[in-house]
Amino acid sequence: FAVDMITARLLLSLMMPVLLDAAAPPRRPNVVMVIFDDLRPVIGAYGDTLASTPYLDNFARGSHIFTRVYSQQSLCAPSRNSLLTGRRPDTLHLYDFYSYWRTFTGNFTTLPQYFKEHGYYTYSCGKVFHPGLSSNNTDDYPLSWSAPAFRPRTEQFMNSPVCPDKEGILRKNLICPVELQTQPYKTLPDIESVAEALRFVGSRSRHSQEPFFLAMGFHKPHINFRFPRQFLSRFNLSQFYNYTEDSLKPPDMPAVAWNPYTDVRARDDFKHSNISFPYGPISPLQAAQIRQSYYASVSYVDDLFGKLIGGLDLDETVVVALGDHGWSLGEHAEWAKYSNFEVALRVPLIIRSPQFPVAQTKYYHGITELLDVFPTLVDLAGLPKLDKCQSSQELTCGEGKSLYHQLMGLGRADEHVALSQYPRPGMLPTKHPNSDKPKLRNIKIMGYSLRTDIYRYTMWVRFHAQNFSRDWHDVYGEELYDHRLDSGEELNLMPLPQFDDVRQRLRRRLMEMVGS
């Protein structure tokens, strides 16, 4: 009998780990969200033949790529707060950099906060929330993050004169390839952030019962284009002269739609170039140099992205990589963001999940919004579903749709549309107030842009900043582009009477989505 008891105990001790594993709920995946600043889809996996993005391309081979994804506003703080709260700029009442939604509008739950409240350890590296007032000068810590957000120490020099010219004088240049040893602390912000992200991942025990949510925010390719010099050599300047044929503002573009790229003009290497305000143009040489440097900046952060991915266990980690909005590279003779055009709003979105492995890239071509990221990641992590907002008073909900069913291979996406917006202080481009980045008190016009499967329709209407209302009868410009024939949005179809029915239908739909 004693021998039988010993044998039984021995068998029980051997089986106990198996029994415990069977009884324990499945471990939730870690989640890593990577945000690139001002990144349009200049990525090889998106079909850009000029791009040099080997690490993003390799990552894409086992991932799901959404090809038509749109930001809600082509400006950092409004776009990021919209992405991270799952709500539109009109809901947050944030169109600039100078208000914090929790105290200005409502104490809305954020994406990392939702994960934190459901058992995740959340951590931020680099530029995730826009720094400053729009994230309470704390990157929304401690509500969104389990520990204070990591900000690289070299971030303080981002707008300092650190670009040596031919005489060795340090300038605040737009185009700024550098040798690392000449820079403060001999490094750059994104290099520091990736090192910290890898340190964090390494510090989390593989067998920890607490999964993590890591947000990694790259500063590049946001201007200035400061990157290690070797990345410039990947690109021949001659490739970028005929990037677009546009050298002048399209004649039927409303003046209110134009952004005069004031931040580009203000840089030391451009401010003495006598670029006519507001329409330019920039010289062909300078245009090619900007494009070359933008692509080099993307290659630089692609290289860092490869280092980050190399430190992750992709069998246990959901990874999403995206841009916060796009950036014009001379289309319509415009530069930078600050507009409602496709090039300023369209961003990459790449999702990799151990739940949905693919042997090669799987593409999705339906209209998608950055609002969709919040509910999608919630579903991929197996958390309680995020409710769809029924009113602006709800604190925990989202205004986007989950892409989970598309990842499962269910449901069609072609009926969806994207809604974006951009404010202006007046009908014409101005330096004061800055029509590229108007403060709330100066906003007099709001441009709403509806992207359907075929069309982009944009309507610029009177906006009352005092009570966040709009007057649909006071119209300052309308635009209609047919992407079947005009993917560059060059020909505004508004003057053509044969498109009146299309315009009326899209106008009604836009007004229904925005409301009064």
Side-chain angles (χ1 to χ4, degrees), residues 207-362:
H207 302 289
S208 170
Q209 292 304 304
E210 184 182 39
F212 66 79
F213 176 98
L214 170 66
M216 168 65 217
F218 287 104
H219 280 284
K220 299 303 164 198
H222 191 290
I223 65 171
N224 60 3
F225 300 129
R226 185 163 62 117
F227 51 84
R229 182 175 296 276
Q230 66 264 27
F231 290 97
L232 198 64
S233 63
R234 294 187 181 187
F235 304 95
N236 191 320
L237 185 63
S238 63
Q239 296 175 293
F240 295 98
Y241 276 94
N242 297 317
Y243 192 86
T244 172
E245 295 179 2
D246 299 345
S247 59
L248 297 172
K249 169 184 170 291
D252 290 320
M253 179 200 296
V256 70
W258 178 266
N259 71 280
Y261 50 91
T262 51
D263 54 354
V264 169
R265 297 167 184 268
R267 299 287 170 165
D268 285 349
D269 49 346
F270 278 77
K271 67 183 181 183
H272 301 301
S273 299
N274 296 319
I275 302 169
S276 176
F277 188 90
Y279 300 121
I282 283 177
S283 75
L285 173 61
Q286 288 177 316
Q289 289 172 329
I290 292 176
R291 295 171 186 136
Q292 180 193 37
S293 297
Y294 182 89
Y295 273 73
S297 296
V298 174
S299 283
Y300 160 53
V301 286
D302 172 75
D303 189 72
L304 291 174
F305 176 79
K307 291 179 170 59
L308 175 66
I309 293 300
L312 301 178
D313 181 353
L314 295 179
D315 292 330
E316 293 189 358
T317 308
V318 172
V319 183
V320 57
L322 57 88
D324 62 347
H325 47 71
W327 213 82
S328 298
L329 287 169
E331 294 87 358
H332 314 107
E334 289 183 299
W335 301 89
K337 40 208 176 189
Y338 317 125
S339 82
N340 275 325
F341 288 111
E342 185 91 354
V343 288
L345 291 168
R346 182 170 169 249
V347 298
L349 174 62
I350 307 174
I351 298 174
R352 185 171 185 138
S353 170
Q355 187 180 357
F356 299 110
V358 288
Q360 57 186 7
T361 309
K362 189 171 182 180

Side-chain angles (χ1 to χ4, degrees), residues 88-104:
R88 301 189 184 279
D90 267 355
T91 304
L92 298 176
H93 295 163
L94 177 71
Y95 317 103
D96 56 17
F97 304 94
Y98 308 108
S99 66
Y100 178 48
W101 76 93
R102 293 191 191 275
T103 54
F104 190 67

